[in-house]
């Protein structure tokens, strides 16, 4: 009989804290590649479930595993194969976390404590999208669902209890703030500038919202004209000015006039080549917020191009105040990490089955004692009747025991186990949260990154 191995949580992280933009670009995943990679991971016997988060600032694998060493090496080997990065480089750069450290890291990411812009709101949505993607493609089930449920719960508590945000709660917001500061240094403002936003995903939408606060002429360009039109229609009330939509075929013409460019597509390669960037007599400031980068590197007069990692200038401002507030947030993360493991213990079916059998035995012996005391049964028959009762409740509980064990392996196990606990009045220190299924995260409206 094969020995049953305990499920453990594993996170392998490559983030802005440990690796530069060049390596993050190489590690970045598109949706099609992401699905192929996740399915490959799930072929490993040591990996039960897997989820992949790929953003401009991080690429992370979240997994429930049966053998941490085998799972870790399998993930790194496949990253080497898919991304053509030497495994020695991956081992050196990877931040590998296990069990409580993996949970703590996950909750910190969800709560935006590990973000480049601490307190930015975009990461929670990105994590929900990553979970939804893995779940809908059958790459994760019970284990990751439990983890994500608690991560989103922790993030909500941090967001509602602690002010960890600067005035810029997104990478795009920080970029526009830096843009304003740069023009101010030259004695200019954003007002009356011609701004171009390239892309129609969440980052581009946030850039549009921030640019709309100024008296700026804004042009939106996207490969899919329909997606661009949908963005303007859906967010028209939030845009304080008219946004002009132009087809991707006019990109060159628009670039020649653009004082400001915010590029945030999901393209797997650059979309603005060096040849497309022409000299200009007026000052231009462009932001490339995409990973991989949208704009090829070029040195040209009167043009400054900033990328995601350059936002560190904004991030460090007021850092001391945010770090002070973040202490309370980290305490919440620590609390939820501890509660999560206590909660997992209440979901084990073995103690429930044991308690059910104990209740059956105690009830049987209690009635047997009553029968002997009242003279319904001679005391010398006690041992034989006790055996009969024992066999009777074992027979009665046989199928329920099998069904409960089967339910314990199902993604729907939590509400089933809670119902059993309620029926048999089995109480725990931590009350199980029987109402969640993470359905709320499937029904939420979301902005899919498009290009």
């Amino acid at each position: 009989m094969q020995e049953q191995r305990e499920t453990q949580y594993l996170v392998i992280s490559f983030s802005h804290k440990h690796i530069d933009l060049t390596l993050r670009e190489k590690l970045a995943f598109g949706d099609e590649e992401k699905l192929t990679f996740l399915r490959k991971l799930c072929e490993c016997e040591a990996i039960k479930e897997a989820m992949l988060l790929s953003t401009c600032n991080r690429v992370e694998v979240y997994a429930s595993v049966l053998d941490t060493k085998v799972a870790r090496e399998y993930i790194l080997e496949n990253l080497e194969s898919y991304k053509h990065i030497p495994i020695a480089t991956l081992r050196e750069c990877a931040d590998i976390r296990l069990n409580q450290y993996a949970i703590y890291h996950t909750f910190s990411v969800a709560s935006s404590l590990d973000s480049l812009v601490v307190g930015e709101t975009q990461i929670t949505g990105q994590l929900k999208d990553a979970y939804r993607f893995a779940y809908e493609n059958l790459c994760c089930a019970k284990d990751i669902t439990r983890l994500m449920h608690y991560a989103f719960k922790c993030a909500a508590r941090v967001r509602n209890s602690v002010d960890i945000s600067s005035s810029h709660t997104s990478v795009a917001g920080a970029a526009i703030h830096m843009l304003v500061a740069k023009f101010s240094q030259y004695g200019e403002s954003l007002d009356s500038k011609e701004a171009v936003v390239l892309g129609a995903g969440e980052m581009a939408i946030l850039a549009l919202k921030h640019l709309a606060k100024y008296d700026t002429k804004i042009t939106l360009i996207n490969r899919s004209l329909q997606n661009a039109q949908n963005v303007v229609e859906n967010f028209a009330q939030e845009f304080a000015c008219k946004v002009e939509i132009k087809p991707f075929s006019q990109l060159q013409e628009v670039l020649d006039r653009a004082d400001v460019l915010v590029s945030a597509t999901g393209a797997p390669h650059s979309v603005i080549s060096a040849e497309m960037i022409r000299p200009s007599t007026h000052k231009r400031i462009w932001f490339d917020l995409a990973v991989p980068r949208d704009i090829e590197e070029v040195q040209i007069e009167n043009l400054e191009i900033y990328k995601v990692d350059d936002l560190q200038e904004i991030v460090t401002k007021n850092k001391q105040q945010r770090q002070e507030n973040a202490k309370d947030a980290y305490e919440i993360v620590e609390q939820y990490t501890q509660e999560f493991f206590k909660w997992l213990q209440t979901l084990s079916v073995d103690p429930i089955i044991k308690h059910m059998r104990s209740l059956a035995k105690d009830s049987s012996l209690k009635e047997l004692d009553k029968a002997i005391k009242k003279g319904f049964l001679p005391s010398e028959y006690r041992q034989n009747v006790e055996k009969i009762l024992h066999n009777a409740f074992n027979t009665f509980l046989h199928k329920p025991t099998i069904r409960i064990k089967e339910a314990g392996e199902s993604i729907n196990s939590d509400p089933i186990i809670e119902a059993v606990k309620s029926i048999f009045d089995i109480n725990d220190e931590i009350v199980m949260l029987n109402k969640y299924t993470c359905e709320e995260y499937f029904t939420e409206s979301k902005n899919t990154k498009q290009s």
Side-chain angles (χ1 to χ4, degrees):
M1 183 176 178
Q2 188 176 5
E3 183 181 355
Q4 185 175 0
R5 292 177 290 179
E6 183 180 355
T7 300
Q8 301 183 74
Y9 284 98
L10 171 70
V11 173
I12 298 181
S13 170
F14 302 90
S15 77
H16 64 93
K17 287 187 172 183
H18 306 102
I19 62 175
D20 60 18
L21 179 59
T22 301
L23 188 54
R24 295 205 307 277
E25 284 181 312
K26 293 179 180 178
L27 282 167
F29 282 84
D31 281 351
E32 288 187 11
E33 188 182 21
K34 188 188 301 181
L35 180 56
T36 306
F37 181 73
L38 281 174
R39 285 176 173 168
K40 183 66 176 176
L41 294 189
C42 291
E43 290 177 4
C44 178
E45 291 185 359
I47 299 175
K48 292 177 63 182
E49 303 173 22
M51 175 183 129
L52 178 65
L53 175 66
S54 181
T55 74
C56 61
N57 285 320
R58 66 183 66 248
V59 172
E60 296 184 336
V61 176
Y62 301 80
S64 63
V65 304
L66 297 173
D67 188 314
T68 56
K69 185 176 180 180
V70 172
R72 179 192 66 204
E73 290 306 305
Y74 187 82
I75 292 169
L76 293 176
E77 287 168 4
N78 275 277
L79 279 172
E80 178 186 41
S81 174
Y82 274 73
K83 295 301 180 180
H84 310 292
I85 301 172
I87 197 166
T89 301
L90 294 172
R91 286 198 182 101
E92 182 181 352
C93 299
D95 183 11
I96 300 174
R97 311 224 172 187
L98 182 65
N99 292 327
Q100 63 262 45
Y101 300 103
I103 304 308
Y104 185 89
H105 174 80
T106 304
F107 292 179
S108 297
V109 170
S111 303
S112 186
L113 295 173
D114 201 62
S115 296
L116 178 65
V117 180
V118 174
E120 56 98 357
T121 56
Q122 196 174 0
I123 185 61
T124 307
Q126 291 168 332
L127 196 64
K128 289 178 181 180
D129 286 345
Y131 164 66
R132 181 186 296 109
F133 183 87
Y135 184 93
E136 290 178 348
N137 287 286
L138 307 179
C139 296
C140 75
K142 177 181 64 177
D143 298 335
I144 298 294
T145 293
R146 288 173 173 174
L147 174 61
M148 289 298 109
H149 162 65
Y150 237 81
F152 300 142
K153 189 166 177 276
C154 177
R157 170 72 183 281
V158 169
R159 186 170 59 250
N160 294 329
S161 303
V162 184
D163 180 15
I164 57 171
S165 302
S166 64
S167 58
H168 325 294
T169 55
S170 69
V171 171
I176 303 306
H177 179 84
M178 184 174 174
L179 183 66
V180 171
K182 291 294 181 183
F183 273 119
S184 179
Q185 290 176 8
Y186 302 117
E188 302 179 32
S189 72
L190 266 184
D191 293 338
S192 302
K193 298 291 184 185
E194 290 200 27
V196 176
V197 175
L198 181 56
E202 186 175 2
M203 189 81 76
I205 292 170
L206 289 170
L208 285 170
K209 290 179 179 179
H210 285 281
L211 284 170
K213 298 174 183 177
Y214 301 89
D215 185 17
T216 306
K217 180 182 177 181
I218 304 175
T219 300
L220 175 62
I221 294 183
N222 192 57
R223 285 190 185 276
S224 168
L225 199 61
Q226 183 61 55
N227 287 340
Q229 290 171 345
N230 291 341
V231 166
V232 173
E233 290 173 5
N234 292 338
F235 294 92
Q237 294 182 350
E238 298 185 51
F239 298 153
C241 60
K242 182 179 178 182
V243 177
E244 184 179 5
I245 300 171
K246 290 199 173 181
F248 193 80
S249 59
Q250 295 185 26
L251 177 60
Q252 179 67 73
E253 176 188 339
V254 173
L255 286 178
D256 291 340
R257 300 197 312 268
D259 303 301
V260 171
L261 169 69
V262 178
S263 190
T265 78
H269 48 71
S270 61
V271 294
I272 301 175
S273 64
E275 291 75 20
M276 295 174 66
I277 305 173
R278 298 169 179 171
S280 175
T281 57
H282 63 278
K283 190 69 182 176
R284 295 177 294 173
I285 300 177
W286 292 1
F287 273 91
D288 187 349
L289 303 183
V291 178
R293 280 172 282 188
D294 284 337
I295 308 172
E296 285 187 358
E297 290 192 27
V298 63
Q299 297 291 332
I300 193 167
E301 190 177 0
N302 288 325
L303 175 62
E304 298 176 18
I305 301 177
Y306 296 96
K307 53 189 183 294
V308 170
D309 286 7
D310 294 322
L311 294 176
Q312 193 63 44
E313 179 180 331
I314 297 297
V315 173
T316 53
K317 287 187 177 181
N318 300 321
K319 188 175 182 180
Q320 184 175 357
Q321 178 61 42
R322 290 202 305 277
Q323 285 181 334
E324 194 67 30
N325 292 341
K327 290 179 181 178
D328 294 334
Y330 280 117
E331 287 181 4
I332 293 173
V333 171
E334 177 67 30
Q335 172 193 338
Y336 271 75
T337 300
Q338 294 175 4
E339 287 184 4
F340 178 72
F341 279 99
K342 290 179 182 178
W343 179 58
L344 286 183
Q345 292 174 6
T346 72
L347 306 183
S348 173
V349 297
D350 289 339
I352 295 174
I353 293 171
K354 184 177 179 180
H355 191 75
M356 285 169 54
R357 291 183 172 276
S358 177
L359 289 174
K361 181 179 179 180
D362 290 346
S363 297
S364 299
L365 294 180
K366 184 178 179 181
E367 292 303 314
L368 177 58
D369 289 338
K370 281 184 181 179
I372 294 174
K373 186 176 182 181
K374 292 183 178 181
F376 298 152
L377 183 71
S379 59
E380 57 267 25
Y381 290 171
R382 178 187 175 87
Q383 190 172 359
N384 290 334
V385 174
E386 189 174 327
K387 289 179 181 179
I388 294 171
L389 291 173
H390 179 77
N391 291 336
F393 70 69
N394 267 349
T395 301
F396 175 75
L397 291 175
H398 178 66
K399 284 191 176 180
T401 298
I402 293 175
R403 296 293 181 265
I404 291 172
K405 287 184 176 180
E406 289 174 348
E409 296 301 318
S410 165
I411 189 172
N412 299 315
S413 64
D414 297 353
I416 295 172
I417 294 171
E418 172 66 6
V420 173
K421 289 166 65 179
S422 177
I423 290 169
F424 286 93
D425 195 23
I426 302 173
N427 298 315
D428 297 287
E429 282 186 37
I430 305 298
V431 177
M432 181 174 169
L433 307 174
N434 60 342
K435 294 183 180 178
Y436 93 94
T437 60
C438 277
E439 289 175 0
E440 59 202 295
Y441 306 117
F442 295 122
T443 55
E444 282 185 354
S445 60
K446 67 178 191 292
N447 299 311
T448 305
K449 191 177 185 184
Q450 304 163 13
S451 63

